[in-house]
Amino acid sequence: MPVSSEDASLPVIAVVGPTGSGKSDLGVGLALALDGEVINADALQFYRGMDIGTAKISVDERRGVPHHLLDIMDVTQEASVADFQADCRRAIAEIRSRGKRPILVGGSGLYVRAALDVLEFPGTDSAVRKALEEEFDADGLAPLRARLEHVDPVSAARLGDARRVIRALEVHQLTGRPFSSFMPQRQYFQPALQIGLSVDREVLRERLALRVHRMVDAGLLEEVERLDAAGLRKGRTASRALGYSQFLNVLDNRADVATAAEETIVATRQFARRQLTWFRADPRITWFDWHDPELLSKAVAAAGEQPA
């Protein structure tokens, strides 16, 4: 049934969990059951043309349910959590204005929290960022990490890759505050219900391997080749995406398809473990077995039982 005006404070539903757990299908099922619309919270599915490698839900699989924030960026552009927060909250308001139920679906943990939680984003400065990136290109990550350990040991212990270390140093340089001081508290911006999909780890390992092989059979290499011609390597986020970075090596004759597929499987399994660690740390998530034959009915019941 449509969300009536008196039900406008019904919680936003977020379907979360590791990659390959069936979030997209459950999101569509909930939207059909609750007269809702889906908002994408998978950062890589923002990109036009990144379809096979991101397991982007097809038009047929959407079953007539409107999906928002899919295919909104070129691969040369940079995804921004702050921009996503504004766009997502705008989409939530617009969906509610139509009397529909907003349903957020995705496994990008920070993007989900940006949508749901009270979260402040410090500004950016392209000149500061460029100087830090040039320092990284010249001297590597170690000096930047040492500096971050001095000014923000909490972030230094938490952040591993160069992009996030550079961002943390940029924020400190711009604000005088440690990047960790901007980390979200577990406080919802508006009423929300998070539904997590739990998968046996060994089952998930095999499922992810099979999914990568299906992507290869469906034309992942050809998709990467098309996107390479469209500027994939110019986009820092898109070019490093799972599968895409590995298959760029095939185009460069640094790996064969079998090697790229195996490397993608290993990287995807590692990513799924990080996702599980992230989401398991949030006690507000209500977990369901992804393979439960009554999953949809239980999720719908959970949505209906949440207080306004």
Side-chain angles (χ1 to χ4, degrees):
M1 294 178 61
V3 179
S4 64
S5 58
E6 59 266 28
D7 290 333
S9 61
L10 282 172
V12 175
I13 300 170
V15 180
V16 303
T19 186
S21 58
K23 297 184 296 295
S24 296
D25 288 343
L26 180 58
V28 168
L30 284 169
L32 291 171
L34 301 172
D35 195 25
E37 299 182 15
V38 170
I39 304 171
N40 168 53
D42 183 323
L44 294 177
Q45 294 193 10
F46 299 153
Y47 292 104
R48 287 182 283 271
M50 292 180 67
D51 302 328
I52 296 172
T54 66
K56 189 179 295 176
I57 189 168
S58 69
V59 172
D60 288 343
E61 291 168 335
R62 297 172 202 175
R63 298 166 63 189
V65 172
H67 279 61
H68 305 271
L69 305 187
L70 282 173
D71 300 325
I72 58 173
M73 301 176 68
D74 293 328
V75 292
T76 55
Q77 296 177 281
E78 284 297 298
S80 160
V81 183
D83 289 345
F84 170 78
Q85 183 185 68
D87 292 342
C88 183
R89 291 182 179 179
R90 188 180 307 113
I92 288 171
E94 290 173 354
I95 290 168
R96 287 196 186 283
S97 74
R98 292 189 287 273
K100 306 288 187 178
R101 192 80 174 268
I103 300 170
L104 192 68
V105 178
S108 297
L110 183 56
Y111 284 77
V112 172
R113 292 199 69 178
L116 299 182
D117 282 349
V118 175
L119 179 56
E120 176 188 3
F121 287 100
T124 62
D125 186 300
S126 59
V128 172
R129 175 74 62 89
K130 185 171 185 267
L132 290 166
E133 289 173 346
E134 288 175 349
E135 185 176 343
F136 168 69
D137 291 339
D139 302 321
L141 184 59
L144 296 176
R145 175 172 290 284
R147 193 185 314 164
L148 185 62
E149 287 173 351
H150 177 68
V151 300
D152 185 1
V154 174
S155 290
R158 180 182 297 161
L159 306 177
D161 63 275
R163 183 172 63 87
R164 289 182 173 87
V165 169
I166 287 170
R167 174 58 177 155
L169 287 171
E170 177 193 16
V171 167
H172 181 265
Q173 190 166 331
L174 291 175
T175 67
R177 290 170 53 188
F179 184 60
S180 54
S181 71
F182 292 92
M183 289 298 99
Q185 304 300 311
R186 299 198 189 281
Q187 178 184 354
Y188 285 136
F189 170 74
Q190 57 183 287
L193 164 69
Q194 293 186 79
I195 293 173
L197 292 181
S198 180
V199 185
D200 176 85
R201 292 191 182 224
E202 192 56 39
V203 171
L204 184 60
R205 281 176 54 84
E206 296 307 313
R207 182 176 170 89
L208 293 177
L210 180 60
R211 187 165 80 155
V212 170
H213 288 305
R214 285 175 175 166
M215 289 175 177
V216 174
D217 292 342
L220 177 57
L221 178 60
E222 291 76 13
E223 178 171 280
V224 173
E225 190 170 18
R226 287 194 302 273
L227 293 171
D228 189 27
L232 176 63
R233 295 174 201 258
K234 297 177 184 176
R236 283 182 174 265
T237 301
S239 66
R240 295 174 181 173
L242 293 173
Y244 294 88
S245 60
Q246 288 81 6
F247 276 82
L248 281 172
N249 288 333
V250 178
L251 297 182
D252 294 339
N253 296 315
R254 294 203 299 265
D256 57 21
V257 169
T259 300
E262 186 58 34
E263 290 176 349
T264 301
I265 290 169
V266 171
T268 304
R269 287 169 171 170
Q270 293 171 340
F271 176 60
R273 286 198 295 271
R274 292 195 298 272
Q275 288 177 302
L276 280 168
T277 298
W278 176 285
F279 289 119
R280 287 291 186 189
D282 192 337
R284 301 169 300 175
I285 296 176
T286 301
W287 291 92
F288 295 94
D289 180 355
W290 74 286
H291 210 235
D292 187 337
E294 298 181 3
L295 170 62
L296 178 58
S297 61
K298 289 179 179 179
V300 168
E305 291 169 0
Q306 290 299 303

